[in-house]
Amino acid sequence: DGGITQSPKYLFRKEGQNVTLSCEQNLNHDAMYWYRQDPGQGLRLIYYSQIVNDFQKGDIAEGYSVSREKKESFPLTVTSAQKNPTAFYLCASSMSLGTYSNQPQHFGDGTRLSIL
Amino acid sequence: GEDVEQSLFLSVREGDSSVINCTYTDSSSTYLYWYKQEPGAGLQLLTYIFSNMDMKQDQRLTVLLNKKDKHLSLRIADTQTGDSAIYFCAERLPGAGSYQLTFGKGTKLSVIP
């Protein structure tokens, strides 16, 4: 079945450590997104990519980095510069059609990151 | 305001109808979406409505759109305990970067048996 796979489901980070969250999709979607979810905050966009080898910062990109070397993959690195990384991280993807075409975002099951 | 706004909590009895409301930001939004999130899971697309429609019905779900007031609602008929979750509305704006969605903070629906 087509879908979005995020791994790991739970991740623990030590102080000063970088960690990478994996996101893979087999939906043949051009666009991919990373969101951070905190209780009562809804979803906040970290980074997004509309095409391979290109990505843009979202609303809260500081302390995070991404790469988009393959269409299927959009890994997110939480760097040591991110001082409050404990959150639920969601990856999504969508088609990149015209402005008036329906292209909902489809989500993975998330990765919960905690600080040791 | 600049935010998509939703009430944070809603509690209903099993078998009653639930109505979740959302106020979005831009009258030129093209598509509006409703997503459901169960505990510890990602967001599941429930339904959507295109901006030139007033209403859309899909089994127990009814979406109403009032463009003049920028108001969107989701009605769940015969609410079941399995409907307990957080519901997010999201809008998609036209123009450059229109792949992005702007989400509300979510409404937590609790269904009382």
Side-chain angles (χ1 to χ4, degrees):
Chain A
D1 285 349
I4 301 173
T5 302
Q6 290 188 241
S7 62
K9 191 166 178 65
Y10 299 96
L11 187 58
F12 298 90
R13 194 191 90 168
K14 295 180 180 178
E15 294 285 344
Q17 186 181 47
N18 293 354
V19 291
T20 297
L21 285 61
S22 170
C23 179
E24 304 277 334
Q25 55 100 359
N26 60 4
L27 299 168
N28 200 32
H29 285 169
D30 292 306
M32 297 187 73
Y33 314 80
W34 273 105
Y35 294 92
R36 171 178 172 143
Q37 186 178 24
D38 296 281
Q41 293 287 328
L43 274 68
R44 292 185 288 170
L45 183 65
I46 305 172
Y47 268 98
Y48 65 99
S49 168
Q50 295 180 1
I51 197 168
V52 174
N53 292 323
D54 187 49
F55 48 83
Q56 283 79 40
K57 293 181 179 179
D59 301 319
I60 55 164
E62 186 174 351
Y64 300 97
S65 66
V66 293
S67 63
R68 186 86 188 277
E69 297 177 1
K70 297 187 300 181
K71 186 175 184 178
E72 302 79 17
S73 179
F74 192 40
L76 173 74
T77 297
V78 184
T79 74
S80 57
Q82 173 49 246
K83 297 307 179 188
N84 183 23
T86 297
F88 191 51
Y89 290 86
L90 288 162
C91 178
S93 69
S94 72
M95 297 292 286
S96 297
L97 303 173
T99 299
Y100 295 99
S101 298
N102 183 24
Q103 42 196 4
Q105 292 182 14
H106 299 268
F107 285 80
D109 286 334
T111 294
R112 187 164 299 280
L113 176 62
S114 302
I115 298 301
L116 288 177
Chain B
E2 293 297 319
D3 294 335
V4 175
E5 296 183 350
Q6 301 177 238
S7 299
L8 292 182
F9 301 99
L10 176 66
S11 183
V12 300
R13 292 204 173 274
E14 188 174 15
D16 288 350
S17 292
S18 308
V19 179
I20 302 171
N21 293 302
C22 172
T23 302
Y24 59 98
T25 65
D26 195 319
S27 58
S28 61
S29 294
T30 55
Y31 284 89
L32 295 128
Y33 299 92
W34 283 104
Y35 285 86
K36 175 184 180 182
Q37 185 181 35
E38 297 184 1
L43 274 66
Q44 171 195 354
L45 177 67
L46 281 180
T47 188
Y48 67 92
I49 189 167
F50 186 50
S51 56
N52 68 351
M53 299 169 64
D54 297 323
M55 186 184 84
K56 180 179 180 182
Q57 187 155 359
D58 184 1
Q59 298 182 333
R60 292 192 296 124
L61 305 178
T62 302
V63 179
L64 295 178
L65 177 60
N66 180 331
K67 285 189 68 175
K68 174 178 172 291
D69 294 335
K70 291 182 285 185
H71 185 263
L72 181 73
S73 68
L74 174 70
R75 178 177 180 268
I76 305 173
D78 186 25
T79 311
Q80 303 297 307
T81 54
D83 295 323
S84 294
I86 300 176
Y87 291 81
F88 291 91
C89 69
E91 65 174 335
R92 180 173 155 224
L93 301 176
S98 64
Y99 316 128
Q100 295 184 53
L101 299 180
T102 302
F103 288 85
K105 293 185 178 180
T107 299
K108 184 174 183 178
L109 174 64
S110 298
V111 181
I112 304 165

